[in-house]
Amino acid sequence: MTAAGAECALAASRAVSPETTQQAIGYPSLFLLVLLGALVPVVPTGAVVSTSAAVAFHHSDAAVSCVLVFLIATGAAFLGDAILYWLGRRGVRSRNGSRWLDRMRGQVAPATLERAQARLESRGAVVLLVSRLVPAGRIPVMLACLLARMPMRVYLRGDLPAALGWAGTYLLLGVVGGALFPRPWQGVAAAVALTLLIAAVPTAWRRLRPHPPGGPSPAAEPN
């Protein structure tokens, strides 16, 4: 009985592969990091998703793992946006405001907010579809929606496809990074490099594009 029990324990320990342990830790971590990044925009959530996808690409069940990364990232991003918008609406309705609304105001330059408000007025909730794909574009558009007193259900209806598109874009970057190299760490490095490159393109474009005489210099434009 002792020998049989030892054999069963050894078989069970072998059955729990490092990949299974990695998934058990990685998926909850992905959800929490993306959720935190949606609430406090200092966590590079795009890089988190792309690196998770690069690792998932090297799993034995790559397709299932990548789908799980996509669903978890989408759900966490959407939930984080919903919570942050709800907190912001409380500040808009309150006579004294709120620290969440003040924090969002502090992150957005006045000129950037004006552009977001103008786009919201001309395009409506459609602007939400691209706000998440543009680096540093989510908070200005969310703040513009809050100041326009957009109902939460309308905001969430536009935010869902935005979260889906955002998760899909960074998932694709991670899969490309994972496919380029045979080792997971190499794919992670490539995914991070691709993510940083994508994030840098809009800033570089603003600095290099020609500006009309008398307009703001590229360096003076807010991000």
Side-chain angles (χ1 to χ4, degrees):
M1 293 294 292
T2 303
E7 289 179 3
C8 290
L10 180 60
S13 65
R14 288 174 177 172
V16 181
S17 65
E19 182 177 303
T20 303
T21 303
Q22 185 184 76
Q23 292 173 337
I25 297 173
Y27 292 142
S29 299
L30 170 64
F31 181 86
L32 292 175
L33 286 173
V34 173
L35 179 62
L36 177 63
L39 295 173
V40 185
V42 294
V43 178
T45 51
V48 171
V49 176
S50 61
T51 54
S52 298
V55 173
F57 181 82
H58 289 278
H59 286 170
S60 57
D61 52 347
V64 174
S65 297
C66 287
V67 169
L68 285 174
V69 169
F70 172 72
L71 294 176
I72 291 169
T74 300
F78 182 72
L79 178 60
D81 287 350
I83 294 173
L84 187 58
Y85 195 77
W86 178 76
L87 292 170
R89 275 175 57 84
R90 290 185 62 188
V92 170
R93 291 196 299 262
S94 173
R95 183 173 301 178
N96 299 322
S98 70
R99 64 186 181 91
W100 289 97
L101 184 62
D102 292 341
R103 181 179 297 173
M104 281 191 280
R105 286 181 183 272
Q107 294 171 357
V108 181
T112 304
L113 178 58
E114 289 178 6
R115 287 198 298 269
Q117 289 173 320
R119 290 169 185 158
L120 182 63
E121 290 178 2
S122 61
R123 304 175 189 175
V126 176
V127 74
L128 292 171
L129 296 175
V130 296
S131 65
R132 260 197 168 273
L133 299 178
V134 177
R138 181 176 66 100
I139 296 299
V141 171
M142 181 183 290
L143 183 57
C145 292
L146 286 169
L147 296 179
R149 297 184 179 272
M150 177 182 289
M152 188 164 182
R153 65 180 181 278
V154 177
Y155 177 83
L156 294 181
R157 199 160 51 229
D159 188 65
L160 179 58
L164 289 166
W166 172 82
T169 298
Y170 284 103
L171 175 78
L172 180 61
L173 291 176
V175 168
V176 170
L180 289 176
F181 299 96
R183 296 183 180 276
W185 71 265
Q186 294 172 325
V188 168
V192 171
L194 287 171
T195 302
L196 294 177
L197 178 63
I198 294 296
V201 167
T203 300
W205 168 249
R206 285 197 298 267
R207 292 180 179 275
L208 295 176
R209 69 180 178 180
H211 288 264
S217 63
E221 283 196 22
N223 292 329

